Amino acid sequence: MSDTAGKAVADLVDLLTVEEIDTGIFRGAAVSEQPGRVYGGQVVAQALAAAARGIEPDRQAHSLHAYFLRAGDTGRPIVYRVLPDFDGGSFSNRRVVAMQGGKPILNLAASFHRPEEGLVHAVPMPDVPAPEQCPDFRAALAAAGQKVPSALFDRLAAFEIKPCPPLPQGDLPHRCQWFRMAAPMGDDAVMKRVVLAYASDFALISTALMPHGMGFFSPGVSGASLDHAVWFHQTPPIDDWLLYSMDSPWSGHARGFARGAIYSRDGTLVASVAQEGLLRVKPQG
């Protein structure tokens, strides 16, 4: 583990650890001195961290549903207002409004569940090469000749990412990538879910561009997340390799829809993800 990787992980944990400034009111730190659009995964993750405050320790988030309303400004803190809607015998529910400048930028609802035994089944993990057999994210992008903003690499500095080779073309556009923390993060089950929520927004909606021979950084393409949902099936072993399997069954009306399944290295399904995003393509020439 390098000092740089350890610092990047510590910085991410600090970023996603919101500060309580009043009862039910939390503040997430700004990420830059210069204005820019906040990464959607950051707002979702900070909102989940705020929602988890005060929840009984034996209850962990099992789902979240979020709507992005406005672009956030990286140069300003985000204020999160948490509404404690429900605490029952097995479940707790929280609503969170993320705000900047007095205006909401995201609405999120999260549900928490105490451990229970029940029926078990899961879709198996795709058959893909092991992470040791896959190229580094930066190397893969360079080999593909893709020009990526440096801010993206800053955002992902806390992770190791290894895209899998292209999968055989089937009925759905489908791709997979391995990821893990670049350095050990610790055993905090709440923060592991928060970090997974952060990572789950990366590259998902761009899967809807694959049938059209485009990527998120293709000329003329602009996009933004519209909504995001995560179902946590297990506490993710975020320090070890996780496989993010993504597909897109539909796009149209300047929107795209994508789904994700996140597996631990041993094939356990730890989370499911769904997202719709805005995808606009400006004609070239």
Side-chain angles (χ1 to χ4, degrees), residues 5-122:
K7 183 179 185 304
V9 171
D11 287 347
L12 178 62
V13 171
D14 285 345
L15 174 66
L16 302 182
T17 302
V18 293
E19 174 192 7
E20 186 168 12
I21 57 178
D22 204 340
T23 303
I25 306 293
F26 300 85
R27 178 169 54 204
V31 294
S32 172
E33 295 179 359
Q34 299 298 324
R37 192 165 75 178
V38 175
Y39 166 55
Q42 175 196 324
V43 191
V44 169
Q46 287 180 333
L48 178 61
R53 291 288 188 91
I55 296 289
E56 294 181 18
D58 69 332
R59 301 185 184 200
Q60 291 291 336
H62 72 90
S63 68
L64 66 82
H65 300 260
Y67 279 95
F68 298 95
L69 306 177
R70 295 176 174 86
D73 181 352
T74 57
R76 304 177 63 182
I78 303 172
V79 174
Y80 297 88
R81 181 186 178 194
V82 179
L83 302 174
D85 284 343
F86 178 73
D87 287 295
S90 300
F91 292 88
S92 295
N93 191 279
R94 298 292 185 266
R95 274 183 297 151
V96 184
V97 180
M99 304 187 71
Q100 279 188 326
K103 295 181 179 180
I105 65 171
L106 174 132
N107 289 333
L108 176 143
S111 183
F112 302 78
H113 185 205
R114 66 173 176 81
E116 288 191 51
E117 296 297 323
L119 302 173
V120 176
H121 79 275

Side-chain angles (χ1 to χ4, degrees), residues 159-186:
F159 299 91
E160 291 183 65
I161 300 174
K162 293 195 172 186
C164 296
L167 296 165
Q169 291 297 318
D171 294 333
L172 291 176
H174 185 200
R175 68 176 171 195
C176 295
Q177 64 186 24
W178 294 98
F179 71 97
R180 69 177 177 183
M181 303 305 293
M185 194 190 74

Side-chain angles (χ1 to χ4, degrees), residues 203-224:
L204 178 58
I205 196 59
S206 62
T207 311
L209 292 166
M210 291 175 62
H212 311 284
M214 299 177 181
F216 212 69
F217 302 105
S218 296
V221 173
S222 62

